[in-house]
Amino acid sequence: SVLRPLLFDGEPSEVRITSARTGYDVDDYLTHVRARRSGVALPTWLAVYGADGRVLARAPWPASDDELRLDVHTRARVARVVLDPDRALLLDPDTADQVVDLRPRTSNALLGQLLAASQLLLAWLGP
């Protein structure tokens, strides 16, 4: 039984995304996801979400596989990849490694520095 090691022997059931990347591929977006599990293997799902929070695709991860290697084709760009989106693996203590944010990074610090520099330049050039 799967429950005995989990509940009585303290065995973990952990999953984590090891890599995720997305990009435009001919006429759709292609997202590569790799994940691993350790401890007691329980089935779960992987979901990919668009920037608007909509689920773009879901794929099962059977308990029989210790490693997940998945390529997902979507019409919209993938913003976030989530392992165990339904939170069925309640005994996994670390859920931070189950989510990868793939949205392009913007630097608010750089924008603030450019704005300050332009204000300083306008003050220096002004009357």
Side-chain angles (χ1 to χ4, degrees):
S1 169
V2 171
L3 292 179
R4 182 166 193 70
L6 285 172
L7 298 177
F8 298 111
D9 299 336
E11 288 286 324
S13 178
E14 299 174 350
V15 295
R16 69 187 176 286
I17 297 173
T18 56
S19 69
R21 68 183 192 281
T22 192
Y24 193 71
D25 182 44
V26 185
D27 59 350
D28 62 2
Y29 289 91
L30 177 60
T31 303
H32 302 281
V33 180
R34 305 296 178 255
R36 294 206 49 83
R37 77 167 92 234
S38 59
V40 178
L42 297 172
T44 191
W45 289 83
L46 177 121
V48 295
Y49 296 86
D52 60 359
R54 199 171 32 99
V55 176
L56 300 176
R58 283 177 64 101
W61 184 6
S64 58
D65 300 333
D66 287 337
E67 185 175 15
L68 177 69
R69 300 174 67 85
L70 186 65
D71 293 334
V72 181
H73 291 269
T74 56
R75 289 270 180 222
R77 182 176 178 82
V78 171
R80 200 165 43 106
V81 177
V82 179
L83 262 179
D84 189 28
D86 306 318
R87 293 296 303 133
L89 304 178
L90 296 175
L91 297 177
D92 188 342
D94 182 15
T95 58
D97 57 1
Q98 295 175 6
V99 178
V100 174
D101 188 348
L102 295 175
R103 289 177 289 197
R105 301 284 180 231
T106 58
S107 176
N108 289 337
L110 178 60
L111 183 60
Q113 290 174 352
L114 289 173
L115 182 60
S118 64
Q119 288 174 338
L120 181 62
L121 182 61
L122 286 173
W124 182 68
L125 291 174

